């Protein structure tokens, strides 16, 4: 339980604006530039901990390179956005929006992804319980039937993207949705569980055999984290 | 198999798997051609079969439903067929820009010089968010043809009216990941060593039929 709490707080820290770096900036740049900086969250397990489902090499590159690039690029775009706002330059603000969407989404998605995975020794692969389990059964009949539908959704993504188990904030029911590129689960839907279907998430280990990756990843899904997101 | 529909087959690579080394590894080429390209063709043939059946049954909802899959997989087949042809071993005469005198003249006229063109092309490639392609395209301007750099998402092909794809670069991660990992900029930099300028010149001087002739050959 304590490890789950620790994981959640790591993620919250990463997604929340941290003020230490920005306060220094504010001193010479003016109050308009006060803002937080996104930071790369620590993985709540070792790079090799998800083997054999996901290799240590993939995890290391995925976390320390890919996720880091989203964080760096988000901070760059946010900085430019703050400047454009200070200058009331609406055109630049609009031009920056796709970058915020892409890199901000990349940061959010990966942060949630690391949290909703876990080594089998930390509960990875153990089926969901309680309200989430009931909601899945209500929508899909059984966990296995759900996984089958989810894997079909993953396989159907044309290009880079993600599949998510989401909760409809209007009805409370759960469903499967796919998102292109780094589009984030925002608005009407709440992210419960996400799987990265970009080629970088599996290629070094599975190459073109992505169906094998989609099958194997359920061994390291952290349903506890998913339960905590479900309301 | 309906007698009315074409069954597409994988066009052979015009060089060996290792011919583009050290810029693109043999392992990448083999997987990319034999597995990825083949999958687009296999899916396309199945979808065209369903399309033929739905047409026969006047099943319009299914016809509309099939469209995105046909676009994606046909695009994958078109794009990769063009791509293999517009690459060549680095040591070959085809890989030198001198193999494309007319095209280079137009490139210089459009971008100032070759370096500026490459920089603009690289910037376009690196700006792709997700999977996609970068293309140099000849566009029929009515009076005079223009050259433009285009990016297309996922497997969208360059098939617009008056557009002739001159050469394309695959920016899907499967095109470089085994060799360059997250180093997209390095892949983009290195691919220039294996661009087939002879093919590019032929497509530039010709029309759409010339660019797409490889597709006819794979039916
Ligand atoms: Fe990823
Ligand atoms: Fe490809």
């Amino acid at each position: 339980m304590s490890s789950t709490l620790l994981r959640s707080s790591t993620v919250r820290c990463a997604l929340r604006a941290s003020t230490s770096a920005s306060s220094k900036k504010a001193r010479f740049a003016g109050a308009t530039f006060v803002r937080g900086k996104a930071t790369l969250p620590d993985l709540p397990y070792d790079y090799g901990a998800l083997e054999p489902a996901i290799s240590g090499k993939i995890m290391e590159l995925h976390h320390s390179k890919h996720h880091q690039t989203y964080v760096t690029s988000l901070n760059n775009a946010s900085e430019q956005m703050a400047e454009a706002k200070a200058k009331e330059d609406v055109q630049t603000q609009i031009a920056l929006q796709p970058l915020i969407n892409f890199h901000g989404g990349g940061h959010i998605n990966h942060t949630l992804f690391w949290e909703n995975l876990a080594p089998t020794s930390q509960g990875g692969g153990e089926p969901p319980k309680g309200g989430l389990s009931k909601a899945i059964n209500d929508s899909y009949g059984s966990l296995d039937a759900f996984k089958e539908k989810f894997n079909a959704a993953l396989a159907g993504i044309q290009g880079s993207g993600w599949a998510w188990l989401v909760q409809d904030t209007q009805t409370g029911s759960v469903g499967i949705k796919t998102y292109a590129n780094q589009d984030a689960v925002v608005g009407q839907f709440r992210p419960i569980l996400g799987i990265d279907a970009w080629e970088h998430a599996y290629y070094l280990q599975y190459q073109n055999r992505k169906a094998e990756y989609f099958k194997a990843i359920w061994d390291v899904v952290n349903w506890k984290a998913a339960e905590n997101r479900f309301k | 198999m309906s007698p009315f529909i074409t069954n597409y087959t994988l066009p052979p690579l015009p060089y060996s798997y290792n011919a583009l080394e050290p810029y693109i590894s043999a392992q990448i080429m083999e997987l990319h051609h034999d597995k990825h390209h083949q999958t687009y063709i296999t899916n396309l043939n199945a979808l065209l079969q369903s399309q033929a059946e739905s047409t026969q049954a006047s099943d319009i909802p299914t016809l509309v439903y099939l469209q995105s899959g046909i676009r994606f997989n046909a695009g994958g087949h078109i794009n990769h067929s063009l791509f293999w042809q517009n690459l060549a071993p680095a040591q070959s005469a085809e890989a030198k820009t001198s193999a494309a005198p007319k095209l280079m003249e137009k490139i210089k006229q459009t971008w100032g010089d070759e370096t500026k063109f490459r920089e603009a092309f690289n910037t376009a490639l690196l700006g792709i968010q997700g999977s996609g392609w970068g293309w140099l395209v000849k566009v029929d301007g009515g009076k005079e043809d223009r050259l433009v750099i285009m990016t297309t998402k996922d497997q969208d092909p360059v098939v617009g009216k008056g557009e002739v794809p001159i050469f394309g670069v695959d920016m899907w991660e499967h095109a470089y990941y085994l060799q360059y990992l997250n180093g997209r900029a390095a892949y983009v930099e290195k691919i220039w060593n294996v661009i087939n300028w002879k093919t590019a010149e032929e497509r530039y001087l010709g029309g759409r039929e010339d660019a797409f002739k490889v597709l006819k050959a794979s039916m």
Side-chain angles (χ1 to χ4, degrees), chain A residues 7 43-60 63 114 117-125 205 216-222:
Chain A
R7 269 200 292 278
L43 270 193
Y45 36 78
D46 294 337
Y47 287 133
L50 304 184
E51 289 187 352
I54 308 176
S55 75
K57 175 113 192 262
I58 287 178
M59 288 304 294
E60 183 169 358
H63 176 258
W114 309 135
L117 298 178
T120 48
S121 61
Q122 292 174 35
Q205 188 175 356
I217 200 156
W218 296 104
D219 295 341
V220 290
V221 162
N222 181 355

Side-chain angles (χ1 to χ4, degrees), chain A residues 3-230:
Chain A
S3 70
T4 308
L5 286 173
L6 194 66
R7 269 200 292 278
S8 305
S9 63
T10 311
V11 167
R12 272 196 300 274
C13 282
L15 290 178
R16 193 183 53 208
S18 81
T19 48
S20 57
S22 61
S23 57
K24 197 194 283 175
K25 193 167 189 69
R27 274 202 295 276
F28 60 83
T32 346
F33 291 170
V34 173
R35 53 167 191 85
K37 257 176 119 92
T39 53
L40 183 67
D42 290 334
L43 270 193
Y45 36 78
D46 294 337
Y47 287 133
L50 304 184
E51 289 187 352
I54 308 176
S55 75
K57 175 113 192 262
I58 287 178
M59 288 304 294
E60 183 169 358
L61 280 161
H62 203 170
H63 176 258
S64 71
K65 303 291 184 187
H66 290 275
H67 191 169
Q68 180 62 62
T69 300
Y70 292 119
V71 169
T72 307
S73 305
L74 171 62
N75 287 332
N76 288 342
S78 300
E79 198 164 316
Q80 291 174 50
M81 184 64 99
E83 283 164 19
K85 279 184 180 156
K87 290 184 202 153
E88 294 178 17
D89 177 353
V90 179
Q91 275 164 310
T92 303
Q93 290 177 49
I94 292 169
L96 285 166
Q97 264 169 13
L99 289 173
I100 303 271
N101 184 72
F102 183 67
H103 297 290
H107 176 44
I108 290 173
N109 290 337
H110 286 91
T111 301
L112 293 169
F113 182 53
W114 309 135
E115 195 199 34
N116 69 220
L117 298 178
T120 48
S121 61
Q122 292 174 35
E126 278 173 28
K129 300 189 198 102
L132 178 56
S133 172
K134 186 178 176 305
I136 289 172
N137 288 337
D138 286 349
S139 289
Y140 297 98
S142 70
L143 184 62
D144 283 343
F146 160 76
K147 287 182 186 173
E148 210 169 292
K149 285 247 164 54
F150 199 97
N151 285 359
L154 282 165
I157 293 172
Q158 297 176 340
S160 300
W162 293 72
W164 288 90
L165 170 63
V166 299
Q167 185 175 21
D168 187 332
T169 57
Q170 292 173 1
T171 66
S173 68
V174 295
I176 297 164
K177 278 174 71 72
T178 60
Y179 290 76
N181 302 321
Q182 295 297 356
D183 288 353
V185 183
V186 291
Q188 187 187 341
F189 298 99
R190 179 181 296 133
I192 304 296
L193 168 73
I195 302 295
D196 191 344
W198 280 59
E199 290 174 319
H200 66 235
Y202 61 84
Y203 209 81
L204 290 181
Q205 188 175 356
Y206 296 94
Q207 290 90 41
N208 63 303
R209 304 180 315 278
K210 61 182 176 178
E212 289 177 29
Y213 159 69
F214 298 149
K215 191 162 172 282
I217 200 156
W218 296 104
D219 295 341
V220 290
V221 162
N222 181 355
W223 282 105
K224 276 253 167 1
E227 283 166 26
N228 290 340
R229 293 173 190 162
F230 179 77

